[in-house]
Amino acid sequence: MMEEGSLWHQWSMIRSLLAILQWWGFNVTVIIMNKWIFQKLDFKFPLSVSCVHFICSSIGAYIVIKVLKIKPLIVVDPEDRWKRIFPMSFVFCINIVLGNISLRYIPVSFMQTIKSFTPATTVVLQWLVWRKYFDWRIWASLVPIVGGILLTSITELSFNVFGFCAALFGCLATSTKTILAESLLHGYKFDSINTVYYMAPFATMILGVPAFLLEGNGILDWFEAHPSPWSALIIILSSGVVAFCLNFSIFYVIHSTTAVTFNVAGNLKVAVAVLVSWMIFRNPISPMNAVGCGITLVGCTFYGYVSHLLSQQQPGTPRTPCTPRNKMELMIPLVNDKVEGKV
């Protein structure tokens, strides 16, 4: 029996490691492919790239749920689709678009570091808008995150105001989506695949017309000017397929790891993305810039540890906080729990 238990433990560790590695692989590949599309293929149309990702994700989720039946469909009332799913899809759409816009103007390393600001924006939004109160250790854990972001921004050699603002507002959109999910999706236990199944078609509908009106003529000019447009289009479509695979990998890694492992792996994933992007694009990174990125990642890991520690100390508290009954009630923030659903 002890040998069987030991073998099972070893297999669980191997499965968790494989889940993390394939999650890293898909995530880094999507980021690098998007940057390659904007920089090397000169396809500077972030709305259209996002739309391709939404279409591929819609088709992929349909195949997984309806055709292959790998995941059971979570049934949502038609009325709830418009009252609950549609607003979430709108924020979800803005989040993805802002991420792709930032990739067009700033290096992957800088963009990924700014995205690590999401815990801070989520806590501040909950405090300002939803009047939720947090333990002092949560606020203390945000200090290295904010400090690291400031240091990285000041020392960034390829700084672009528009790209920086897009990435920063992308953090706000991510935080808003996470917070809204608590109220709008209450009663539905969505996994990442069902999230994409419902949100990606809405996001395609929301983004399709603006992408056509704002970027349609530019795409036609690009198609005529590019030396090999068809091979470039294959790369663009492939990025959409990989984007869907990323959602599937998130579902797999969430169900194969603990919350602490997920948090640490998520921050190490940023470091891997930064390293791989630098090896491919060779964007200049100053020593102080690298230090700022490192401080931010350490801060995110510390924040996740503090959040997990507080949740363990309050066994009666739900993982996602409810509105406090009085001002003395301390809350645990939403982010860096095992969040699912990201194209």
Side-chain angles (χ1 to χ4, degrees):
M1 291 295 291
M2 289 185 63
E3 289 184 2
E4 289 182 3
S6 177
L7 288 173
W8 174 253
H9 179 68
Q10 290 178 1
W11 166 242
S12 297
M13 290 185 62
I14 293 172
R15 188 179 65 172
S16 297
L17 180 61
L18 291 175
I20 290 170
L21 289 176
Q22 53 91 33
W23 176 43
W24 283 3
F26 283 125
N27 190 278
V28 173
T29 302
V30 167
I31 295 169
I32 299 301
M33 287 185 78
N34 285 352
K35 187 63 178 178
W36 186 276
I37 288 167
F38 295 132
Q39 185 170 317
K40 300 296 185 180
L41 300 183
D42 202 34
F43 189 84
K44 301 185 183 299
F45 308 105
L47 299 184
S48 299
V49 170
S50 302
C51 210
V52 168
H53 287 193
F54 292 143
I55 292 170
C56 291
S57 295
S58 300
I59 295 171
Y62 181 86
I63 292 173
V64 168
I65 291 175
K66 290 287 191 177
V67 180
L68 301 178
K69 300 186 185 301
I70 296 175
K71 282 292 298 178
L73 175 66
I74 297 173
V75 180
V76 178
D77 294 334
E79 185 179 354
D80 281 347
R81 294 184 187 184
W82 287 100
K83 287 186 175 181
R84 300 189 182 192
I85 305 296
F86 184 79
M88 284 288 299
S89 302
F90 185 78
V91 181
F92 170 72
C93 179
I94 292 174
N95 178 30
I96 301 301
V97 169
L98 287 173
N100 283 332
I101 289 174
S102 67
L103 268 180
R104 177 184 168 182
Y105 292 100
I106 59 177
V108 172
S109 55
F110 190 31
M111 179 261 199
Q112 286 289 293
T113 306
I114 296 171
K115 281 188 69 177
S116 301
F117 196 54
T118 302
T121 56
T122 305
V123 169
V124 171
L125 273 177
Q126 290 180 88
W127 177 64
L128 286 175
V129 181
W130 281 268
R131 307 303 298 169
K132 293 180 179 177
Y133 292 80
F134 299 95
D135 188 282
W136 68 270
R137 286 169 288 184
I138 290 294
W139 292 106
S141 69
L142 297 180
V143 172
I145 298 177
V146 176
I149 294 290
L150 287 174
L151 181 59
T152 304
S153 302
I154 293 170
T155 59
E156 175 56 47
L157 300 176
S158 304
F159 186 86
N160 178 281
V161 174
F162 190 70
F164 172 78
C165 290
L168 196 59
F169 281 110
C171 290
L172 288 171
T174 302
S175 300
T176 304
K177 179 172 70 73
T178 305
I179 296 169
L180 285 178
E182 167 64 11
S183 56
L184 292 178
L185 301 184
H186 179 71
Y188 293 104
K189 293 184 178 180
F190 278 107
D191 53 67
S192 59
I193 305 302
N194 273 277
T195 300
V196 173
Y197 178 84
Y198 284 108
M199 290 189 184
F202 274 135
T204 305
M205 182 177 67
I206 293 167
L207 193 59
V209 175
F212 176 75
L213 293 176
L214 297 175
E215 299 179 345
N217 291 331
I219 292 175
L220 291 176
D221 294 338
W222 171 87
F223 196 85
E224 293 176 359
H226 199 277
S228 53
W230 292 108
S231 59
L233 286 176
I234 290 173
I235 295 174
I236 294 169
L237 288 173
S238 298
S239 73
V241 174
V242 177
F244 168 72
C245 292
L246 172 59
N247 284 282
F248 203 79
S249 70
I250 291 172
F251 161 74
Y252 182 44
V253 76
I254 281 172
H255 289 83
S256 302
T257 61
T258 64
V260 174
T261 303
F262 185 78
N263 170 58
V264 174
N267 292 313
L268 288 175
K269 171 180 62 66
V270 175
V272 172
V274 169
L275 178 62
V276 173
S277 71
W278 178 80
M279 292 172 64
I280 294 175
F281 299 105
R282 294 291 177 177
N283 56 286
I285 300 177
S286 67
M288 290 305 294
N289 191 258
V291 170
C293 181
I295 292 172
T296 303
L297 296 182
V298 170
C300 289
T301 304
F302 179 57
Y303 167 87
Y305 170 75
V306 170
S307 299
H308 179 72
L309 198 65
L310 290 175
S311 67
Q312 295 298 106
Q313 289 177 356
Q314 301 178 33
T317 303
R319 289 172 62 189
T320 304
C322 302
T323 305
R325 289 185 293 274
N326 56 68
K327 291 191 175 184
M328 298 301 293
E329 187 175 351
L330 297 177
M331 305 307 301
I332 299 171
L334 281 160
V335 289
N336 270 347
D337 252 339
K338 297 171 124 188
V339 179
E340 301 188 14
K342 183 178 181 182
V343 170

